[in-house]
Amino acid sequence: MGESKIVSAFKELAQHPAPTGARVIGDGSDGFLSVYSEWMQRDLQRAENARFSRSQVLQMNPEYGPVTVAQTASYDIATEEWKRVSPSGVHTAILRKVNPKPAKEAKPSQFIEIWSDSRKICNIDLKALDKHGTVYSDDNHFGTFEWSHGESHLLYVAEKKQPKHASYFDQKYDDTASSGEDGNAEPKDVVIKGESSAYRQDWGEGLTTKCEPVLCILDIESLSISVLENVPNHVSPAQAIWTPDDAGVVFVGWWNNPWKLGLLYCTIRRSALYHLDFQSGTCSIIGKDDQSVRTPRFSPDRSKLAWLENTASGPHHRSMRLMTFNWVTKKYSNVIDIVKKAQGADFPGIYPAYLGLPTQCWCSDSKRVVFHTLWRSKKVLLYADVDTHKIKQLSNDDFGSWTLLAIQNDWMVVACSSPDKPDILRLGKLLPPGGEANINWVSLDPDQAPSSLTWEIRTFHPTEENRSEEFPDLDYEGILLLPKPNAEGEEEADEAKTAKKPPLIVWPHGGPHGCFSAGWNIMAAGFIKLGYAVLYVNYRGSAGYGDDMVFSLLGNCGRFDVLDVQHCVAELVREGTVDKSKIVCFGGSHGGFLAAHLSGQFPDVYKAVMCRNPVTNIASMLGGSDIPDWSYVEAGYSDYSHKQVSTPEQLGKMLTDSPITLADHMRAPTMIVLGADDLRVPPQQGRELYKALKARNVPTRLYVYAENSHPLSKVDCEAEVFVNTCKWFNEHLQSNDI
């Protein structure tokens, strides 16, 4: 397999865009409905993600449902950081990023534009007003951009304005004011001297520009900005929304005292819901202050507030409960509780894939909340009835992954995909309770070409010697992707293709409390296109199976997770599904931890390994990671505090659980890929493994990508990593015949 073939495969797959948001306009009562959607697509030539939008007009057909009758051309929205339509639909607010000319002279500026009647009625230069720093974008943790119900104000979150800094020896800011011709002293700017290098802690991996958020309100009529006061100093405000009467705001307050723990991918950070009342100036807590809460959402009739919460400690991703608060009666309700044990097809609890409730999630009856969640190896669409506390599934088996983008007037727009099907949009009308099975899901995208792969979900049970005494009844799953025997691009006869067993890429997820859902993945699709089989493994510890599954791994990293992955591989080999002489491993973060472990524990099985930002030494993670609590929790020590000082026993357990101790047993050629700006798993982790393998003459190659952090997700980095990974596997499998 040549380099050009690998490059061509990725180029082709990169042409599939992914939807990132949607909005429904109208209710269909006049016979028409419009759907506005936003998309992202890799631009390999410009090494960036292109963002664009499109609009579709649908006509109601009594026999077939909505039918698209018109679609606008897509247009670029790369400079739009936020876009919000007012409740009446009359006004649109856009936060736009504008690059300076020439671009290298300064940072981009931000403008808030207000549009009405197809024209721009005002444009506010936020830098000129100088009330705050950068407005936070839609980061799923802090950012908000919300119209008031009366449509006279905009609520958003920005970085706190910082004072000017200068050197003690900067003559421009010396203490002696110069005198003008009239003898009066000229006023000097207020500056702080000698503090320009003082440490300001940010919120960690992926949130390095977020240090001191403040709540801000723009008055549309006066074009003035107010920075809200009376927010408690020990919390950082986020995810703010207006109260029903516009007389206050509700927001999430992330605890920042005594110092901040990394927030991204961690659904257990301590926080609370706050109500800031403008008239009284009071800021009171809604619910408890010892939980982790996120995404408050008011019902359409403004009588109920819904949010997700769970315990603010322990493993970084676990089941969440759906809570409501009646704004009128002041009563709380635990609508859907945390699920500890889920057997077979039982509902496993709410796992919203690190995020929370969608921005639009309530039905028009203000009685049902719609959301997507992991359910074992799929992502499904559900609603919860806040009165009966019942769960109903709205998705079907047409796709392995369903994501709610919007619900308006009970019309739902969802993004659907499977391992063999890139994302498409579907539209469906939520029916009254009892009619869930009769939803007519209409595709808003054309039919896709036949895929070159097949997939299935396999269930596995731990071997007797690897069974947990505390959690003996757990099973786990793998998602097996196989190239079709007559997959496009292969030149052999059909009979030869059928007889040949494909090489296998074993791919454990990270976290370790992540989960693979049966959705589209460009890298997996690329591997399949090039003739590989891929095995995703949702080992014990994975989210989406109930909290017993998550907690079963604590203190057992490097054992249960490793042996679960290897058991899946052994079963496929026993069945004769894959070529046992051509098995490689690919994983990132904790998946990289597992790839290194598998290489050391089963050196005769894996012919090559690729590790992306791998954890290699849990003990040495403590001083460099933005989540030091992770090392304690995964090693089995659940009583972490900010005052923690490691004991020799704890450090010994962390080191024993780490793959670096198996370096003497590793023989598989190993490729290591690191993000130079990774704050989650410090690059020293990968370098430590690289040096250990080089010292033992194991073929090893190290790549360090500047301006990339933990996900290694910049377009040029992702593309190059894919090509280099394929070349590495091909080289060491001697598989030019793949």
Side-chain angles (χ1 to χ4, degrees):
M1 181 196 308
E3 177 183 303
S4 61
K5 184 176 181 180
I6 301 172
V7 171
S8 295
F10 194 85
K11 279 184 176 179
E12 179 182 338
L13 295 171
Q15 295 177 10
H16 294 293
T20 58
R23 185 171 73 251
V24 179
I25 304 165
D27 59 9
S29 59
D30 61 354
F32 293 91
L33 196 70
S34 295
V35 175
Y36 168 87
S37 55
E38 297 183 352
W39 300 73
M40 184 176 290
Q41 182 178 343
R42 298 166 178 85
D43 187 329
L44 299 178
Q45 284 66 44
R46 294 171 61 175
E48 63 184 22
N49 282 309
R51 296 177 55 237
F52 62 91
S53 68
R54 76 180 193 201
S55 295
Q56 294 165 272
V57 177
L58 299 100
Q59 185 175 16
M60 300 296 108
N61 183 301
E63 183 176 357
Y64 303 107
V67 176
T68 299
V69 293
Q71 178 171 319
T72 63
S74 300
Y75 71 92
D76 188 282
I77 57 170
T79 62
E80 295 180 4
E81 297 188 283
W82 283 100
K83 185 174 186 176
R84 283 287 187 265
V85 177
S86 65
S88 68
V90 173
H91 308 296
T92 299
I94 297 174
L95 176 67
R96 192 178 302 278
K97 178 177 67 176
V98 179
N99 291 318
K101 299 177 182 180
K104 293 183 178 180
E105 287 190 355
K107 294 181 179 179
S109 298
Q110 290 179 308
F111 293 79
I112 292 180
E113 303 172 355
I114 307 299
W115 293 75
S116 184
D117 297 325
S118 301
R119 63 188 179 93
K120 187 191 298 185
I121 61 174
C122 65
N123 192 16
I124 301 100
D125 184 345
L126 297 178
K127 185 176 181 180
L129 294 181
D130 197 27
K131 291 290 187 178
H132 51 69
T134 302
V135 178
Y136 289 3
S137 60
D138 189 3
D139 56 21
N140 295 313
H141 291 84
F142 286 96
T144 193
F145 199 64
E146 297 295 326
W147 283 94
S148 61
H149 302 295
E151 304 189 358
S152 59
H153 294 78
L154 274 172
L155 171 67
Y156 58 92
V157 180
E159 185 68 13
K160 184 179 180 180
K161 180 182 177 181
Q162 295 299 304
K164 291 183 178 179
H165 292 275
S167 165
Y168 290 118
F169 309 100
D170 190 337
Q171 292 182 347
K172 182 179 179 181
Y173 298 108
D174 61 24
D175 292 332
T176 304
S178 61
S179 297
E181 293 181 359
D182 58 1
N184 295 323
E186 294 180 356
K188 293 290 184 179
D189 292 329
V190 176
V191 299
I192 297 178
K193 294 183 177 180
E195 294 293 318
S196 60
S197 297
Y199 177 58
R200 294 179 67 227
Q201 191 193 7
D202 55 50
W203 276 98
E205 172 67 31
L207 299 168
T208 55
T209 60
K210 277 74 174 176
C211 296
E212 296 181 74
V214 291
L215 300 176
C216 305
I217 292 179
L218 169 66
D219 187 317
I220 304 299
E221 296 178 0
S222 66
L223 301 184
S224 61
I225 294 175
S226 303
V227 177
L228 299 185
E229 299 178 347
N230 300 318
V231 174
N233 291 330
H234 67 276
V235 299
S236 295
Q239 302 177 13
I241 57 175
W242 294 93
T243 56
D245 57 1
D246 286 344
V249 295
V250 172
F251 65 91
V252 172
W254 298 110
W255 249 248
N256 56 37
N257 188 45
W259 42 270
K260 306 177 181 97
L261 288 164
L263 195 57
L264 188 67
Y265 312 130
C266 303
T267 60
I268 48 83
R269 294 296 178 229
R270 186 178 178 185
S271 56
L273 282 184
Y274 287 86
H275 171 211
L276 177 58
D277 183 81
F278 296 157
Q279 183 174 1
S280 66
T282 58
C283 192
S284 56
I285 290 177
I286 300 173
K288 301 178 181 179
D289 69 353
D290 61 348
Q291 299 291 297
S292 179
V293 305
R294 60 187 56 227
T295 54
R297 307 286 188 244
F298 272 108
S299 59
D301 66 4
R302 308 183 199 174
S303 68
K304 304 181 188 75
L305 179 67
W307 69 92
L308 296 179
E309 72 173 32
N310 60 9
T311 304
S313 63
H316 283 184
H317 192 35
R318 56 194 295 189
S319 176
M320 307 192 80
R321 62 177 66 90
L322 174 63
M323 299 292 298
T324 58
F325 174 67
N326 191 300
W327 201 254
V328 178
T329 65
K330 309 302 180 186
K331 291 184 178 180
Y332 296 89
S333 178
N334 182 352
V335 178
I336 304 297
D337 205 354
I338 288 171
V339 174
K340 290 192 63 180
K341 187 174 183 178
Q343 293 282 17
D346 293 347
F347 172 62
I350 299 175
Y351 296 88
Y354 301 116
L355 302 178
L357 296 174
T359 302
Q360 295 177 303
C361 61
W362 282 91
C363 304
S364 61
D365 60 13
S366 294
K367 295 181 179 180
R368 293 173 290 172
V369 178
V370 183
F371 56 94
H372 49 261
T373 179
L374 296 170
W375 190 320
R376 296 178 72 88
S377 291
K378 290 187 175 183
K379 187 161 65 169
V380 301
L381 188 67
L382 308 173
Y383 80 65
D385 190 307
V386 299
D387 292 333
T388 66
H389 298 198
K390 299 294 185 182
I391 285 281
K392 294 292 184 181
Q393 186 165 338
L394 304 176
S395 51
N396 55 39
D397 291 331
D398 292 348
F399 295 87
S401 176
W402 295 63
T403 302
L404 179 68
L405 299 179
I407 178 171
Q408 184 73 30
N409 299 316
D410 292 339
W411 286 100
M412 299 174 288
V413 181
V414 295
C416 296
S417 73
S418 294
D420 59 337
K421 299 173 184 176
D423 285 283
I424 67 165
L425 291 187
R426 280 185 141 191
L427 177 71
K429 180 70 176 289
L430 181 62
L431 303 176
E436 298 82 19
N438 299 319
I439 296 176
N440 178 25
W441 290 106
V442 176
S443 175
L444 301 182
D445 294 286
D447 293 337
Q448 299 166 344
S451 171
S452 61
L453 68 90
T454 61
W455 64 277
E456 62 176 318
I457 298 173
R458 298 278 196 92
T459 301
F460 299 90
H461 299 272
T463 59
E464 192 61 38
E465 61 273 16
N466 191 31
R467 195 179 302 276
S468 168
E469 292 184 4
E470 185 178 1
F471 306 99
D473 300 326
L474 298 177
D475 60 16
Y476 54 96
E477 291 180 322
I479 307 175
L480 178 62
L481 285 58
L482 292 170
K484 288 183 179 178
N486 58 347
E488 180 184 355
E490 295 194 27
E491 300 176 357
E492 300 169 276
D494 287 349
E495 296 80 4
K497 296 174 189 172
T498 304
K500 189 176 75 170
K501 299 175 183 177
L504 176 66
I505 296 177
V506 180
W507 190 344
H509 62 70
H513 309 298
C515 179
F516 281 120
S517 62
W520 171 259
N521 181 290
I522 186 173
M523 283 204 170
F527 292 147
I528 295 294
K529 194 172 185 64
L530 297 172
Y532 289 94
V534 174
L535 176 66
Y536 298 136
V537 184
N538 287 329
Y539 46 82
R540 278 174 293 173
S542 301
Y545 294 78
D547 266 7
D548 280 0
M549 181 77 150
V550 171
F551 280 81
S552 70
L553 187 59
L554 304 186
N556 295 299
C557 286
R559 181 188 165 202
F560 285 176
D561 44 4
V562 174
L563 296 180
D564 286 355
V565 174
Q566 184 57 29
H567 178 55
C568 294
V569 174
E571 284 296 296
L572 295 184
V573 170
R574 183 187 61 80
E575 297 169 2
T577 303
V578 297
D579 187 338
K580 68 178 182 180
S581 68
K582 293 183 178 181
I583 299 176
V584 297
C585 195
F586 175 91
S589 193
H590 191 83
F593 170 96
L594 292 178
H597 253 299
L598 289 160
S599 177
Q601 293 191 36
F602 303 96
D604 295 329
V605 174
Y606 296 92
K607 308 308 178 187
V609 167
M610 191 282 204
C611 300
R612 299 159 45 100
N613 287 325
V615 176
T616 63
N617 186 333
I618 299 176
S620 65
M621 279 269 289
L622 287 170
S625 174
D626 66 331
I627 53 168
D629 58 316
W630 180 91
S631 293
Y632 291 99
V633 170
E634 297 308 327
Y637 304 105
S638 59
D639 55 346
Y640 174 81
S641 78
H642 284 79
K643 300 178 181 179
Q644 195 89 26
V645 176
S646 308
T647 66
E649 175 193 351
Q650 291 171 332
L651 291 173
K653 177 65 163 64
M654 294 175 191
L655 183 60
T656 300
D657 292 347
S658 301
I660 196 67
T661 61
L662 301 173
D664 283 340
H665 303 282
M666 297 180 187
R667 298 198 299 269
T670 302
M671 173 178 160
I672 303 169
V673 179
L674 307 176
D677 298 337
D678 191 348
L679 299 180
R680 183 56 44 92
V681 179
Q684 290 81 358
Q685 290 280 305
R687 291 194 182 100
E688 188 174 350
L689 178 62
Y690 171 75
K691 293 175 181 177
L693 295 179
K694 290 289 285 186
R696 290 160 175 80
N697 295 317
V698 176
T700 309
R701 186 170 298 164
L702 174 65
Y703 295 88
V704 182
Y705 286 90
E707 299 182 358
N708 273 267
S709 56
H710 194 57
L712 292 163
S713 58
K714 286 186 176 292
V715 171
D716 52 347
C717 170
E718 178 192 45
E720 185 171 299
V721 167
F722 174 80
V723 175
N724 285 338
T725 298
C726 293
K727 291 175 65 176
W728 186 257
F729 288 162
N730 294 344
E731 175 186 351
H732 295 289
L733 289 176
Q734 297 179 349
S735 54
N736 292 327
D737 59 333
I738 291 178

